[in-house]
Amino acid sequence: MSDWTGRTIGGYQIADEIGRGGMAIVFRAYQPQLERWVAIKIMHTEVDSDEFLARFRREAKAIAALRHPNVLTIYDYGEEGGIAYIVMEYVPGGSLKANLTDQPMDWPDAATLVIPVGRALAYAHSQGVVHRDVKPANILLARPEWPLLADFGLIKLLDRQRAITRPGTSLGTPTYFSPEQAVGSEIDHRSDIYGLALVLYRLVTGRLPFDTQSPIEAMLSRLHDEPTPPRQFCPQVSPRLESVIMRALSHDPDDRHLDMEALVADLSRLPGATGRAVMRSSQGAPGGTTARLDDAAARESAGPHLIVMGTGARISLSDEEELLIGRVDPHTTLAPDVDLGEHGGGMAGVSRSHARLLRYPEGWVLEDLNSTNGTFVNHAQLTPGQPVRIRDGDVVRCGQLLLEFHEE
């Protein structure tokens, strides 16, 4: 199982191992047809049961149906020679876990990571999917301020009466278990609330709330002990933030927030919750500098622009009547007017010449340029060569990259 380097499965050329877990190993691989790098999760061959394969297939179908700027994109699923695999977008930035230190993170920086993940979880819950294993290792960083929630391998579909995982069976990572997971009870979306609160606690204090020596001890401790308030470890944590975290870490799921949207709403109301948004320079030239702006400065910036959903990055649009949207092609001198490569466009499936914005006296129109992965406006796919009118607040999707359009 571990000797996959240099082999090919499903047409994907495996390069090297980038991660492993209890049920699969993840490899970096190359897809020649689309000339892109991907990540492939291959199931352990020693796990050869119908139950496990059913869970694996369910994972692929459930995640592939999710469309959110902070959920890792699933490209493909297959079985070959008795081996099951899932093909996902490759994120070279690695995981949040790999980027953690023992030092507390300022709340605005933590908010930039946790709130988008919370929104992704709220969306997943609305689709009947519970993650069950929210932890830093499952939060990938497309960029330092753009988190992607990954590995729904331990999900349970809420609207199914017959679940693969039954009461009395524990799945997940002990360090980030909810109390109900620790005892093998039936779980729901409130376990994800607990898991996200643990991640937030870890970010703003540099540690976890239970003083234990092993993940198993931590799991047992949360069954009997109350979590240490974060301000005891880091006085810089505000009382309001501490109150939100402690509620989400309640031992009884009924005492936590009603749902993930309620937790995100509480966090979003805290001062500093908007993070430290990155905005491109007004020239928008390749290689240009970026500036960090506060909310007041951002509001004062006028003119048509796009907001990259998931990061808050602002892309100012020039006064030209026609703007090419795409990515820089290293083999030509052509540079798009709106370069989405700087915003993760390569991994999101944005074509070199993806779409075109046209400015008319009566407003803006958008046209798809036969892009590989399509252009969408408010979830409706555009027909290449047929421009459509777009208005302030419309959501534009190029490949898997979501943008919010603003006329002023």
Side-chain angles (χ1 to χ4, degrees):
M1 176 62 206
S2 59
D3 188 20
W4 277 93
T5 303
R7 298 174 60 183
T8 298
I9 185 170
Y12 300 93
Q13 302 168 359
I14 296 177
D16 47 30
E17 179 182 326
I18 56 176
R20 64 171 58 211
M23 77 173 185
I25 300 180
V26 183
F27 299 91
R28 183 173 65 100
Y30 187 69
Q31 185 181 15
Q33 297 93 327
L34 295 180
E35 299 182 350
R36 66 180 177 184
W37 288 98
V38 299
I40 294 187
K41 183 159 88 171
I42 300 179
M43 187 188 69
H44 287 306
T45 54
E46 61 265 31
V47 182
D48 187 19
S49 69
D50 291 340
E51 183 179 38
F52 189 91
L53 281 172
R55 176 152 53 92
F56 200 79
R57 294 189 189 105
R58 178 174 292 182
E59 172 187 2
K61 293 177 182 178
I63 312 172
L66 299 178
R67 290 290 183 269
H68 191 276
N70 297 105
V71 172
L72 188 74
T73 301
I74 298 298
Y75 294 142
D76 194 10
Y77 164 80
E79 297 177 24
E80 182 176 304
I83 302 297
Y85 62 90
I86 291 177
V87 183
M88 308 166 285
E89 64 177 299
Y90 171 61
V91 181
S95 70
L96 176 59
K97 178 182 178 181
N99 288 270
L100 287 176
T101 69
D102 293 332
Q103 298 302 312
M105 183 181 292
D106 291 340
W107 160 239
D109 297 317
T112 302
L113 299 172
V114 170
I115 291 179
V117 171
R119 289 177 178 143
L121 286 166
Y123 164 71
H125 295 167
S126 74
Q127 303 302 303
V129 176
V130 176
H131 191 284
R132 299 173 64 100
D133 200 18
V134 180
K135 59 182 180 180
N138 284 338
I139 299 172
L140 306 182
L141 299 177
R143 290 202 306 277
E145 74 283 0
W146 183 1
L148 293 171
L149 185 60
D151 198 356
F152 283 76
L154 304 170
I155 63 168
K156 173 185 175 182
L157 300 185
L158 293 175
D159 58 354
R160 301 291 180 87
Q161 294 298 317
R162 297 174 59 191
I164 288 175
T165 303
R166 296 175 294 274
T169 301
S170 296
L171 291 176
T173 304
T175 302
Y176 289 86
F177 267 168
S178 64
E180 55 270 28
Q181 279 178 290
V183 297
S185 298
E186 190 73 26
I187 70 169
D188 58 23
H189 63 280
R190 293 170 296 182
S191 280
D192 284 350
I193 290 175
Y194 189 96
L196 186 64
L198 277 181
V199 172
L200 177 54
Y201 191 110
R202 174 69 176 80
L203 292 179
V204 297
T205 67
R207 53 164 297 155
L208 289 168
F210 302 100
D211 188 14
T212 55
Q213 300 300 314
S214 71
I216 298 300
E217 288 182 14
M219 182 179 71
L220 295 174
S221 178
R222 72 197 57 183
L223 294 178
H224 309 289
D225 305 328
E226 291 296 323
T228 303
R231 284 171 54 81
Q232 291 192 25
F233 297 126
C234 183
Q236 288 76 22
V237 174
S238 72
R240 289 178 60 188
L241 175 57
E242 179 178 82
S243 177
V244 174
I245 293 174
M246 293 299 288
R247 179 184 177 187
L249 290 179
S250 296
H251 183 276
D252 187 342
D254 290 337
D255 293 333
R256 298 173 202 157
H257 297 78
L258 179 64
D259 51 33
M260 187 63 70
E261 290 184 352
L263 172 57
V264 169
D266 272 0
L267 292 174
S268 298
R269 284 191 287 265
L270 297 176
T274 54
R276 309 179 196 274
V278 178
M279 182 176 118
R280 294 179 61 190
S281 62
S282 58
Q283 291 79 11
T289 60
T290 60
R292 294 194 176 274
L293 302 180
D294 58 24
D295 291 343
R299 286 192 298 268
E300 292 172 2
S301 299
H305 60 278
L306 298 167
I307 298 294
V308 181
M309 298 176 66
T311 69
R314 175 189 171 113
I315 306 174
S316 296
L317 302 178
S318 72
D319 294 330
E320 300 296 324
E321 294 182 354
E322 180 178 324
L323 300 174
L324 174 64
I325 300 174
R327 294 186 292 120
V328 171
D329 187 340
H331 303 295
T332 71
T333 58
L334 176 66
D337 302 289
V338 179
D339 181 11
L340 297 182
E342 300 178 5
H343 302 276
M347 291 178 292
V350 175
S351 299
R352 304 292 185 188
S353 297
H354 195 102
R356 177 168 52 193
L357 271 171
L358 302 168
R359 185 202 301 261
Y360 290 100
E362 61 271 20
W364 291 80
V365 299
L366 179 67
E367 177 185 8
D368 180 75
L369 299 177
N370 289 297
S371 61
T372 300
N373 295 303
T375 304
F376 302 75
V377 176
N378 299 329
H379 306 296
Q381 185 168 5
L382 304 189
T383 300
Q386 296 184 15
V388 301
R389 175 79 162 91
I390 60 171
R391 294 172 172 79
D392 192 73
D394 281 350
V395 174
V396 175
R397 175 157 69 88
C398 295
Q400 295 302 324
L401 190 63
L402 287 177
L403 309 161
E404 191 172 78
F405 172 76
H406 293 279
E407 292 191 273
E408 294 296 337

